[in-house]
């Protein structure tokens, strides 16, 4: 497996997902990147659910699960039907296909009574998170649209209900708030809205009332801004939390400790000492904890330490496990070795309780060999996002590609350097979202061209091609507007 970064547009996260064969139709998701190797993006991070799922009421996802399975079986039993909304609606076999689909269309309609939709996605798994609902949901939306077109072509009632089932499935997919979900939502809902607007004249007053009630009961789905925010939280900000947690725990699976007079190499291979020099420079930098704190008291209460400090400006305070003060917390206490580990932001230090010495806890990335990295990256992704990040950096550090090596070198081989790189990427990502929110799309495109010239290479690789997605979202909003206008016009015609 090659060491070069990333994948093509929306395909980036579709590796390892059941929906990956749908990639080509959702191709606006990512900027074009340089390879199919799952490099940095396997390192995506812990993410709490955006909102707590309701504890009562009906979950639409539970209604959909058996229906999706049955519609997949239906499409297999009736090849050529339901794959495209406007095909095979008049063939001799279409009547049998429509009849067999009817129970599943009725079952889809039950989702209208659902209180919420929780697909059970493990967002904390980041790039490795499975989205098994995406592909069958797309099939189900297409099946609903096909049924609506069949009904129209054969002068049957209920075409509006079938189109609305497609729209509801699409909106519920959007509830997971990822860009792939938004694109599925747009594809299903826009087609349904267009079909309804074009055929609104076939509805009588009672059917028009039912349609408006259906539209009002649709779930909210998602928006491009919400999807951008979710992706930043899922793939950058919570990775930072994971790395910070591993640093504070001095996780020896991920990091190794280095002293201020480090002279050992930190190379992936013996080919260069440049990373070692950078790591040494990073290790030699001053520590706020060691420069500003003086240990003043130690209280041992039954094996539970409380430690008092004084700062350079005369501030005094006491900390204990679970009781941080002044932004400083005790992470661990080793009673046998009489050591405690304290932290401030992403900086850690060891406190020697006997000598009262405070020493910075310098960590560098524990890199596997290129051979180990290739072997591990060929395996299913680890649930540990930071371990995947280590593999990514190992692969890039040994890459023949200059941009890969630049990202690896940017972190300096140290945990502090890695945190600085990720924090900069997070800040740039946030600036980019804010610009998208405040600028018209044409102005945003111009702004983005200049912005990308100044960002880190990691930021450039992580940002999705939202200007293309914005065009699609605008098309959906236009379709909603046209449908509303068509309903109003039809209502006016019926009241004459």
């Amino acid at each position: 497996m090659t060491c070069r970064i990333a994948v093509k547009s929306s395909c980036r996260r579709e590796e390892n997902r059941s929906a990956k064969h749908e990639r080509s139709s959702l191709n606006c998701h990512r900027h074009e990147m340089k390879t199919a190797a799952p490099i940095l993006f396997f390192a995506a991070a812990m993410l709490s659910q955006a909102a707590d799922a309701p504890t009562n009421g009906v979950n639409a996802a539970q209604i959909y699960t058996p229906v999706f399975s049955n519609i997949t079986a239906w499409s297999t039993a009736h090849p050529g039907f339901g794959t495209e909304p406007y095909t095979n609606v008049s063939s001799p076999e279409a009547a049998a296909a429509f009849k067999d689909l009817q129970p599943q269309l009725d079952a889809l309609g039950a989702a209208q009574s659902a209180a919420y939709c929780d697909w059970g996605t493990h967002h904390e798994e980041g790039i490795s998170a499975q989205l098994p609902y995406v592909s069958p949901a797309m099939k189900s939306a297409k099946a609903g649209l096909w049924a609506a077109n069949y009904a129209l072509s054969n002068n049957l009632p209920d075409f509006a209900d079938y189109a609305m089932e497609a729209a509801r499935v699409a909106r519920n997919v959007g509830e997971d708030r990822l860009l792939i979900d938004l694109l599925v939502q747009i594809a299903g809902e826009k087609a349904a809205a267009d079909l309804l607007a074009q055929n609104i004249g076939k509805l009588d007053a009672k059917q028009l009332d039912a349609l408006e009630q259906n539209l009002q009961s649709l779930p909210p789905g998602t928006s491009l801004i919400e999807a951008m925010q979710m992706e930043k939280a899922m793939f950058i900000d919570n990775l930072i939390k994971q790395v910070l947690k591993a640093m504070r725990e001095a996780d020896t699976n991920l990091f190794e400790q280095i002293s201020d007079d480090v002279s050992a190499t930190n190379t992936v291979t013996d080919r260069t000492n440049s990373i070692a020099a950078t790591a040494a420079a990073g290790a030699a930098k001053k520590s706020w904890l060691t420069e500003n704190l003086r240990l003043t008291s130690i209280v041992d209460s039954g094996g539970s330490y409380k430690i008092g400090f004084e700062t350079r400006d005369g501030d005094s305070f006491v900390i204990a496990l679970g009781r941080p003060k002044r932004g400083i917390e005790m992470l661990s206490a080793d009673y046998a070795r009489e050591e405690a580990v304290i932290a401030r932001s992403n900086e850690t230090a060891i406190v020697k309780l006997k000598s009262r010495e405070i020493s910075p806890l310098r960590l560098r990335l524990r890199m596997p060999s290129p051979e180990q990295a290739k072997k591990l990256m060929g395996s299913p992704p680890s649930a540990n996002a930071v371990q995947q990040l280590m593999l990514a950096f190992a692969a890039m550090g040994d890459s023949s590609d200059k941009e890969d090596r630049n990202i690896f070198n940017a972190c300096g081989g140290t945990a502090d350097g890695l945190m600085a790189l990720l924090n900069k990427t997070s800040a740039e990502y946030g600036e980019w979202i804010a610009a998208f929110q405040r600028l018209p799309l044409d102005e945003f495109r111009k702004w983005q061209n200049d912005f990308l010239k100044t960002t880190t290479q990691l930021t450039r690789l992580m940002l999705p091609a939202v200007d293309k997605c914005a065009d699609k979202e605008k098309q959906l909003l236009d379709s909603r507007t046209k449908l509303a206008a068509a309903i109003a016009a039809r209502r006016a015609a019926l009241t004459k």
Side-chain angles (χ1 to χ4, degrees), residues 2-275:
T2 150
C3 295
R4 297 172 67 192
I5 278 199
V7 289
K8 211 174 190 181
S9 61
S10 66
C11 307
R12 177 173 69 82
R13 287 196 313 282
E14 297 322 295
E15 305 297 334
N16 301 321
R17 290 181 177 173
S18 62
K20 68 180 179 181
H21 65 282
E22 303 285 355
R23 290 178 291 187
S24 60
S25 65
L26 304 173
N27 203 29
C28 77
H29 190 190
R30 289 281 160 203
H31 285 303
E32 178 151 342
M33 302 175 184
K34 294 190 297 179
T35 76
I39 306 293
L40 278 182
F41 305 114
F42 270 138
M46 287 293 295
L47 179 69
S48 300
Q49 293 286 351
D52 293 334
T55 55
N56 52 25
V58 178
N59 182 2
Q62 294 178 338
I63 294 174
Y64 285 134
T65 298
V67 185
F68 286 174
S69 178
N70 290 339
I71 288 180
T72 298
W74 171 84
S75 64
T76 301
H78 297 279
F81 294 93
T83 55
E84 296 297 334
Y86 300 99
T87 58
N88 288 340
V89 292
S90 301
S91 67
E93 298 85 2
F98 179 77
K99 181 179 178 180
D100 288 349
L101 182 60
Q102 198 68 46
Q104 307 318 318
L105 295 171
D106 293 341
L108 283 176
Q112 185 173 356
S113 64
Y116 67 102
C117 186
D118 179 4
W119 296 105
T121 302
H122 293 282
H123 293 88
E124 72 277 6
E125 294 178 0
I127 186 63
S128 303
Q130 300 292 305
L131 302 180
Y133 61 89
V134 169
S135 180
M138 290 178 69
K139 287 181 179 179
S140 298
K142 287 182 177 180
L145 290 166
W146 179 85
N149 278 287
Y150 177 88
L152 283 168
S153 298
N154 292 274
N155 296 314
L156 299 176
D158 299 331
F159 77 89
D161 291 340
Y162 302 144
M164 286 303 300
E165 298 316 326
R168 182 173 292 105
V169 169
R171 285 275 191 101
N172 274 316
V173 170
E175 293 291 283
D176 235 14
R177 295 203 304 165
L178 291 168
L179 279 174
I180 183 68
D181 299 316
L182 172 63
L183 294 172
V184 171
Q185 175 185 324
I186 291 171
E189 184 186 347
K190 182 181 183 303
D194 290 345
L195 181 147
L196 290 166
Q198 292 162 10
N199 296 279
I200 203 73
K202 295 181 171 64
L203 299 181
D204 60 27
K206 184 177 180 181
Q207 291 170 323
L208 198 64
D209 288 342
L211 173 61
E212 288 189 297
Q213 291 175 3
N214 249 332
L215 286 168
Q216 291 171 3
S217 71
L218 284 178
T222 195
S223 67
L224 184 51
I225 289 294
E226 288 178 337
M228 292 164 69
Q229 292 169 337
M230 173 63 85
E231 298 225 339
K232 177 179 182 289
M234 189 169 178
F235 298 116
I236 294 294
D237 294 342
N238 286 281
L239 177 57
I240 290 173
K241 293 178 184 178
Q242 281 274 69
V243 173
L244 182 58
K245 180 175 182 289
M247 287 174 61
R248 289 178 168 181
E249 294 174 352
D251 187 339
T252 56
N253 292 315
L254 306 171
F255 303 108
E256 54 190 348
Q257 189 173 347
I258 52 178
S259 61
D260 283 355
D261 60 350
V262 64
S263 59
T265 64
N266 188 41
T267 54
V268 179
T269 68
D270 293 331
R271 56 177 167 70
T272 178
N273 290 321
S274 62
I275 301 302

Side-chain angles (χ1 to χ4, degrees), residues 34 48 54 154 162 181 205 263 286 307 311 331 443 460 483:
K34 294 190 297 179
S48 300
N154 292 274
Y162 302 144
D181 299 316
S263 59
K286 291 184 178 181
I307 306 176
T311 65
L331 304 179
E443 291 183 30
R460 291 193 290 274
L483 176 57

Side-chain angles (χ1 to χ4, degrees), residues 390-437:
M390 299 303 101
L391 293 179
F393 273 102
M396 287 186 295
D398 196 52
S399 174
S400 60
D401 184 85
K402 182 179 178 181
E403 291 182 348
D404 286 356
R405 294 197 309 275
N406 284 344
I407 294 178
F408 177 73
N409 293 343
C411 75
T414 67
D416 285 348
L418 174 58
M419 280 296 297
L421 176 62
L422 292 174
N423 279 320
K424 183 169 177 57
T425 293
S426 177
E428 290 173 343
Y429 209 127
E431 183 181 354
W432 175 78
I433 291 175
F436 183 84
Q437 286 181 289

